[in-house]
Amino acid sequence: MSVTLHPSPIATMAPPTTRARIAALLALPLPELIFQAQTVHRQHFNPTEVQISTLLSIKTGGCPEDCGYCPQSASFDAGVPASKLMDIAPVLDAAQRARDAGAQRFCMGAAWRAPKDHDLDRVAAMVAGVKALGMETCVTLGMLRPDQATRLKSAGLDYYNHNLDTSPEFYGNVITTRVYQDRLDTLAAVRGAGINVCCGGIIGMGEDLADRAGLLAALADLDPYPESVPINALVAVTGTKLGDMAAIDPIDFVRTIAAARIAMPTSYVRLSAGREALSDEAQALCFLAGANSIFYGDTLLTTSNPAVARDNALFEKLGLNRQS
Ligand code: SAM
Ligand code: DTB
Ligand code: SF4
């Protein structure tokens, strides 16, 4: 007599996907979520230390991409005039000022779809100059080919920022001039050149909870996941496609930070754009949720950031220190 073996339902049940795990985290009661995030954070970091990066826009505006959030896109009139790539000396002056003010990393951003090779020569000189000041270096220049990534690595580049921005499904609502796979290809080129990856996204662009889980899952499933994860709250700039978007509820932002911390335990999770609209109390919750990095300095790229004096007072009030 033959016996048909039926596999047990438990053995055949697929393990939950990263996305499902993150969706479950986002749905937790806040105290439970914060506790889990704090626990993970303390396993890998000193919870009183915050990494400090300062941004500079080295080439502003006139960008051919149509990212719906971005005041630098030529598709919108957000009152940001286009300018050419800066000279090297003023960039190094700005880096030195940032270093003297306490920044560890200097991040240079250019409003390009992708850098041209002759522009890359000057950016490589900027990277080498900032490195010589004893700072960590980061650039965000748009799409990159593997040979361009190698060129930047040779100049001393520590981090390349290129965000996935949102979930694969929501992406087309925000950007039509390039696709998700383009972003993944650039990230692979950066990783392949041995540069650390800085990659995150934006919350508050009209996406739903499933999209937030999808973004965080896409980040966490990168192998390895990014060393640095900027979580931006949309800065709704008048004139852009998303200029009328309502502000995100700060508690939803805190939840996203906490889920990012749990999903990427050893990453620096950066409380990025949108901090100016957050109260001290909301920012304190973000730090409790596992954020351990900020952009420091009065401006981001084209929009404003909390004044240095406000951040210094916040650090003092919360007993936070700059990472040593
Ligand atoms: N052009 C390059 C690129 O897109 O890769 C680099 C600069 S771009 C301004 C860097 C990132 O800033 C974007 O990917 C986006 O995540 C973020 N960003 C831009 N505008 C923003 C806004 N209004 N609010 C929040 N984040 C924003
Ligand atoms: C990131 O994720 N946020 C920064 C940085 N990477 C380059 C940029 C935020 C820009 C906010 C809008 C602006 O100032 O133009
Ligand atoms: Fe251009 Fe970057 Fe702005 Fe997109 S986010 S429009 S690529 S500067």
Side-chain angles (χ1 to χ4, degrees):
M1 192 178 78
S2 72
V3 179
T4 311
L5 291 174
H6 294 284
S8 92
I10 289 177
T12 56
M13 209 148 54
T17 59
T18 310
R19 191 185 191 125
R21 280 197 307 118
I22 293 172
L25 288 173
L26 290 173
L28 281 175
L30 192 68
E32 183 58 40
L33 178 59
I34 298 271
F35 178 73
Q36 285 194 28
Q38 266 283 307
T39 305
V40 169
H41 191 186
R42 284 162 181 269
Q43 282 163 3
H44 300 281
F45 292 100
N46 176 338
T48 67
E49 286 194 349
V50 178
Q51 188 277 334
I52 306 280
S53 295
T54 291
L55 276 169
L56 176 70
S57 181
I58 58 171
K59 192 272 162 203
T60 306
C63 183
E65 303 283 334
D66 70 351
C67 311
Y69 48 76
C70 187
Q72 301 199 69
S73 167
S75 306
F76 312 122
D77 182 5
V80 176
S83 63
K84 291 198 156 61
L85 179 60
M86 285 174 71
D87 288 331
I88 298 165
V91 172
L92 298 188
D93 286 348
Q96 192 150 8
R97 282 197 300 278
R99 185 194 65 184
D100 295 346
Q104 293 140 3
R105 189 178 306 165
F106 194 64
C107 308
M108 295 162 273
W112 286 323
R113 172 176 168 80
K116 297 194 173 67
D117 287 338
H118 70 268
D119 288 328
L120 215 53
D121 291 340
R122 201 188 299 175
V123 175
M126 291 172 186
V127 167
V130 173
K131 191 81 184 158
L133 292 171
M135 301 182 84
E136 289 182 326
T137 53
C138 178
V139 295
T140 178
L141 314 172
M143 295 192 282
L144 215 59
R145 297 189 313 264
D147 61 297
Q148 294 179 315
T150 302
R151 168 104 188 72
L152 289 168
K153 172 72 182 173
S154 311
L157 187 67
D158 296 307
Y159 288 82
Y160 194 86
N161 167 246
H162 197 65
N163 290 341
L164 289 177
D165 275 348
T166 190
S167 69
E169 296 78 14
F170 196 72
Y171 186 86
N173 297 338
V174 181
I175 299 150
T176 69
T177 47
R178 60 185 169 190
V179 295
Y180 218 69
Q181 189 58 47
D182 292 329
R183 301 224 169 208
L184 295 170
D185 291 348
T186 291
L187 294 172
V190 168
R191 187 57 88 195
I195 300 167
N196 293 308
V197 171
C198 173
C199 183
I202 308 179
I203 307 303
M205 300 193 292
E207 76 286 344
D208 62 18
L209 277 180
D211 292 311
R212 288 180 199 158
L215 165 67
L216 295 180
L219 295 168
D221 282 342
L222 293 171
D223 187 16
Y225 56 76
E227 284 77 14
S228 175
V229 179
I231 305 292
N232 299 276
L234 175 73
V235 179
V237 180
T238 305
T240 62
K241 182 175 167 190
L242 299 179
D244 294 330
M245 199 57 73
I248 186 184
D249 183 323
I251 298 296
D252 290 342
F253 193 62
V254 170
R255 284 183 194 281
T256 311
I257 298 259
R261 163 54 62 221
I262 296 165
M264 294 167 278
T266 62
S267 300
Y268 281 87
V269 175
R270 183 172 308 121
L271 176 51
S272 302
R275 240 168 18 89
E276 210 178 22
L278 295 179
S279 66
D280 286 0
E281 292 80 0
Q283 291 190 67
L285 276 175
C286 290
F287 292 122
L288 288 175
N292 61 347
S293 172
I294 58 164
F295 285 124
Y296 181 73
D298 298 355
T299 45
L300 292 163
L301 292 173
T302 66
T303 64
S304 57
N305 197 41
V308 158
R310 178 181 164 196
D311 277 344
N312 291 343
L314 178 67
F315 273 42
E316 176 81 13
K317 181 153 66 168
L318 302 182
L320 295 175
N321 301 305
R322 289 175 167 74
Q323 190 194 35
S324 42

